[in-house]
Amino acid sequence: MKDTQLPEDSTSWSQDMVRSTLPERTQDGHKGTFGTALLVAGGPDMPGAALISGLGALTSGVGKLEIGTYRETIQSIAHAVPEATYVPDALVQIANGSHSLTSYKAIACGPGTAPDALTEAAIDKLLKAPHPLMLDAGALSARSYAKRSAPLILTPHAGEFSRISGYSIEQITESPGACASAFAEKHDLTIVLKGPRTTIAFPDGERFQNPTGNAALAKGGTGDMLTGMMLGMLCCHDNWRHAVLNAVHLHGACADEFIKTRSPHTMLAHDIAGLLPEVWKHYE
Amino acid sequence: MKDTQLPEDSTSWSQDMVRSTLPERTQDGHKGTFGTALLVAGGPDMPGAALISGLGALTSGVGKLEIGTYRETIQSIAHAVPEATYVPDALVQIANGSHSLTSYKAIACGPGTAPDALTEAAIDKLLKAPHPLMLDAGALSARSYAKRSAPLILTPHAGEFSRISGYSIEQITESPGACASAFAEKHDLTIVLKGPRTTIAFPDGERFQNPTGNAALAKGGTGDMLTGMMLGMLCCHDNWRHAVLNAVHLHGACADEFIKTRSPHTMLAHDIAGLLPEVWKHYE
Amino acid sequence: MKDTQLPEDSTSWSQDMVRSTLPERTQDGHKGTFGTALLVAGGPDMPGAALISGLGALTSGVGKLEIGTYRETIQSIAHAVPEATYVPDALVQIANGSHSLTSYKAIACGPGTAPDALTEAAIDKLLKAPHPLMLDAGALSARSYAKRSAPLILTPHAGEFSRISGYSIEQITESPGACASAFAEKHDLTIVLKGPRTTIAFPDGERFQNPTGNAALAKGGTGDMLTGMMLGMLCCHDNWRHAVLNAVHLHGACADEFIKTRSPHTMLAHDIAGLLPEVWKHYE
Amino acid sequence: MKDTQLPEDSTSWSQDMVRSTLPERTQDGHKGTFGTALLVAGGPDMPGAALISGLGALTSGVGKLEIGTYRETIQSIAHAVPEATYVPDALVQIANGSHSLTSYKAIACGPGTAPDALTEAAIDKLLKAPHPLMLDAGALSARSYAKRSAPLILTPHAGEFSRISGYSIEQITESPGACASAFAEKHDLTIVLKGPRTTIAFPDGERFQNPTGNAALAKGGTGDMLTGMMLGMLCCHDNWRHAVLNAVHLHGACADEFIKTRSPHTMLAHDIAGLLPEVWKHYE
Ligand SMILES: Nc1ncnc2c1ncn2[C@@H]1O[C@H](COP(=O)(O)O)[C@@H](O)[C@H]1O
Ligand SMILES: Nc1ncnc2c1ncn2[C@@H]1O[C@H](COP(=O)(O)O)[C@@H](O)[C@H]1O
Ligand SMILES: Nc1ncnc2c1ncn2[C@@H]1O[C@H](COP(=O)(O)O)[C@@H](O)[C@H]1O
Ligand SMILES: Nc1ncnc2c1ncn2[C@@H]1O[C@H](COP(=O)(O)O)[C@@H](O)[C@H]1O
Ligand SMILES: [Mg+2]
Ligand SMILES: [Mg+2]
Ligand SMILES: [Mg+2]
Ligand SMILES: [Mg+2]
């Protein structure tokens, strides 16, 4: 874990905090107890994003997972995420209201999806649903946010945050915490501003910084894994803030475990799913 | 293993009972000795169920495995279960009688199949076949059962059992053993009532409770794995009751092994197939 | 290794014989040094046979491997055997002479192919080619064999041997060595009569029995793996008889390694490819 | 490592040189810091080449990877290289200029691509782009090279080098270093002349020989892995010559690690990606 001075007075979401907030897996629970998550992800040229985020959700405590994606992506990835079931043409079905959202416990949208009108139309519907909602990657755009009853969590990296907030990359680099909190409070949502030291800014001004992670994560796909892990955590945590914080912390902790015996240049995003079971155990 | 008080006087199917009933793999046997199993599973939106249950059967002592599923599901999963061969459009072929069932030693139907008229029509044919038959998931519906010569085994969780029996979830939760035995005796079949403490009720009133397993199993796909394992066990056991009981026991024992070093939130159903070889060995 | 009395005076192809006949991998060799193998395998309902035998060849010393199979099988398995290249619609192309066979060092045909007229037509062409040729499974039929310049190796189990030889299963079970040698001498070819104790009968009357293997091998797919391994060994051995014998021996030795720590009911054919690297090393 | 006498006075690119030139993974870098690589690879009958080289790039320090290949190859391999994104019909799009090349840090072309007019047309465009460019396998042909601003690296084995240079195999075998350097200087490019002792000849006459590797590498696919690794290294190294040399060295070192406990006949090209993380670490 990094021991650098925290800028802008953010609190570090420490190992002890994780330890004391991780949920037990209720001994008598069944898959319904932990809930069904919907993951809208993947596209023709980015099928892997659905696979990686799907793996992330399934290894992070979800009860059941439905992956909404394109038919050809289902065909391509289903055997690699066999525990999931699939919603074909999900963006279209969600946008036109033909896919009911009532049964979900949490929803995430964005990894590998194109930032186009169809995605926007689907997000309009998702924003109106009464579930914790995460938007990432292709689902991050400059838009307005109506008041909603359940948590809304955006997970941009600096470039994406600049695009949706209007802050310049320079402003964000200089004062990540201040920018994230200002945006979070203004729009009444949570910003997970990803980077070497990820900042988590809640809508009421509470803010944390993540102490784990390293440059092994600086490679395509690691953000997709985080989205999936956070979606899974939202299903097994009672407290959604703990879910968000613990997902970011454990994601980085897996990368820290990786580089103990392996070069940081060589990690693949999906390696994280293989490391998570033992890393998580160390916190229990 | 859990050491809680057993409700309703069920006997625990203990580690020693497993030890004394597991079959040796006849030294001079060939794949024909252990028989060919038919697994009807999977569907367009649930291809993974065929993969997971197929893996379960293949790692549980089957001689040969045929997976009956949709053409697109074959295309999607075949490389992940390469030891199996495939029956394309199996539900249609079974329903219209064009696929002969004579060569099988045991049959299972249901994981990932839609609970629709086609499935029902296929099950009508399967019920008339003279083989041990397991019905799970999409193959569980409220129907009547004609007398048949070979064992019939249903593997519902509480929700599915409520649907097929008419008992309320409350009744089932309160008296799982009594409900399962009553239904089993009435319809002359075996009920594997799955849950945190799975109850196995045989048609003659004999009843056992499974002492293994934990909440790592509370996730999509674990039931599919059990169906496959039980199908495989039916092929390598002489005594079908032992096959049913040992499948449930070892399935849970794998999950118990998993959580010794890994968080229960992180297990995937197909991890069980990786754990089974060494876990089974410990009982031999 | 089994220590039972050998029937019919076959010599056991012992661990020491393997040790003294396994080839070194010429330090200055390149992939061309070890030659290109052609594997004709797989079919719409049996895609896995191509995958398993392909893995067997690639882990057994081949230089390059071409897998001839159906287009849809290529699509399904290519990523699982990425080191191979593919010949689409190989049976048709070979049968009509449009695929040149001159560049190969050894050829195998049969795992997962249908025993039909197309296969027969292709085999007619393969039999005329001047390469070591293995026929297995779907390529085994009752036919006559013209004199050929290179070794011809058939790998039937007892049922297949009965079909191609006219001996009854009883005769074969009673006197496997005598039956195999009689057929081998009569048709001037090599019979690998597979079973719990595989017999290898060469055309000149020389005969060996394999001392390795166990009932973990009594499951679909293990024969496909052996075909692949033998094809690979034909490429890296100078002496083709040693290739045949060592393939059978090491195939069984992998299964013997497996059951040291795992139940024999649980082995999958493709597990052998994972065990082979270290097992082979123990003989070097 | 081999300790044989170096022919023609090439310097060995030693373990110490690797150690002192491998880059640190900048602690504060993000995926953009390491750059996006374009890999043009794979074809209908050689889909695996795209998978293997893709794995090589992703495990070798790239920031983001785009794989340009055929639609059917994407469908076949995407789940096995989920961290990559895809450019469908890349050769066509590059040849006709409809796919912009401006965003890349390095480009490689050739593994599994057909050596035809389309490939040539695409290479014409790639040669004009201002990026480090690697050509391998199907992208190696006898052509002229206009002056370009960024490094051009060709990675032929002896047969391919003969084809593009006009030297006979005998000349190349006799004097690999002299031939490689003469060609490199004449055409102002870098030749990685692959073989049991790979020679790296830079355009200014500098020349090295690689001390690692063994005959486990003498099998289809290992060259594709090297291409991918070199592409990844070009992205994470500041000095492109070190990238080239270190890729060759570590590629061989993985094979040397493999044979410590496994037979050299059994290695698969994609095993290298599994060995690289710990092997690389030993040099850090
Ligand atoms: N240098 C780094 N140190 C720590 N974490 C990083 C670093 N680079 C990237 N990450 C993390 O990797 C993920 C990248 O997400 P994305 O940018 O969406 O691909 C985020 O969780 C980042 O916080
Ligand atoms: N909390 C739990 N403890 C033990 N076993 C469980 C638990 N939850 C689910 N299972 C088992 O996991 C499987 C779930 O099957 P299904 O409901 O069909 O997916 C059954 O074998 C259950 O007995
Ligand atoms: N009980 C057994 N003991 C040893 N080897 C066996 C046994 N059963 C099958 N095998 C081997 O497994 C393979 C089966 O091939 P096949 O019958 O074509 O699937 C052959 O190599 C057999 O020799
Ligand atoms: N006998 C050998 N010793 C060391 N390296 C080898 C040997 N044979 C092949 N290689 C390496 O394996 C790769 C083969 O590439 P290619 O010929 O394109 O498939 C190159 O990196 C060669 O240097
Ligand atoms: Mg991202
Ligand atoms: Mg179920
Ligand atoms: Mg066979
Ligand atoms: Mg090459």
Side-chain angles (χ1 to χ4, degrees), chain C residues 19-42:
Chain C
R19 243 180 245 292
S20 65
T21 58
L22 276 175
E24 262 194 82
R25 198 155 183 91
T26 334
Q27 182 58 24
D28 279 358
H30 52 84
K31 63 189 170 193
T33 312
F34 302 100
T36 302
L38 175 64
L39 171 65
V40 183

Side-chain angles (χ1 to χ4, degrees), chain B residues 25-34 64, chain C residues 2 136-137 140 155-158 160 192-199 210 212-227 248 251-252 255-256 267 272:
Chain B
R25 198 155 183 91
T26 334
Q27 181 58 24
D28 279 359
H30 53 82
K31 64 189 170 193
T33 312
F34 302 100
K64 290 194 273 184
Chain C
K2 283 170 242 153
D136 181 36
L140 294 169
T155 56
H157 53 56
E160 290 162 339
V192 176
L193 177 53
K194 298 184 295 191
R197 264 169 303 280
T198 294
T199 294
N210 181 48
T212 61
N214 60 72
L217 291 166
K219 195 178 285 177
T222 55
D224 305 330
M225 179 57 72
L226 178 65
T227 300
V248 175
H251 178 260
D256 292 343
M267 196 178 80
I272 295 172

Side-chain angles (χ1 to χ4, degrees), chain C residues 25-34 64, chain D residues 2 136-137 155-158 160 192-199 210 212-227 248 251-252 255-256 272:
Chain C
R25 198 155 183 91
T26 334
Q27 182 58 24
D28 279 358
H30 52 84
K31 63 189 170 193
T33 312
F34 302 100
K64 291 194 273 184
Chain D
K2 282 169 242 153
D136 180 36
T155 57
H157 55 56
E160 289 163 339
V192 176
L193 177 54
K194 298 184 295 191
R197 265 168 304 277
T198 294
T199 294
N210 181 49
T212 62
N214 60 72
L217 290 166
K219 196 177 286 178
T222 54
D224 305 329
M225 179 58 72
L226 178 65
T227 300
V248 174
H251 179 260
D256 292 342
I272 295 171

Side-chain angles (χ1 to χ4, degrees), chain C residues 182-195:
Chain C
F183 190 86
E185 293 182 52
K186 181 170 163 205
H187 295 283
D188 195 22
L189 46 72
T190 296
I191 290 290
V192 176
L193 177 53
K194 298 184 295 191

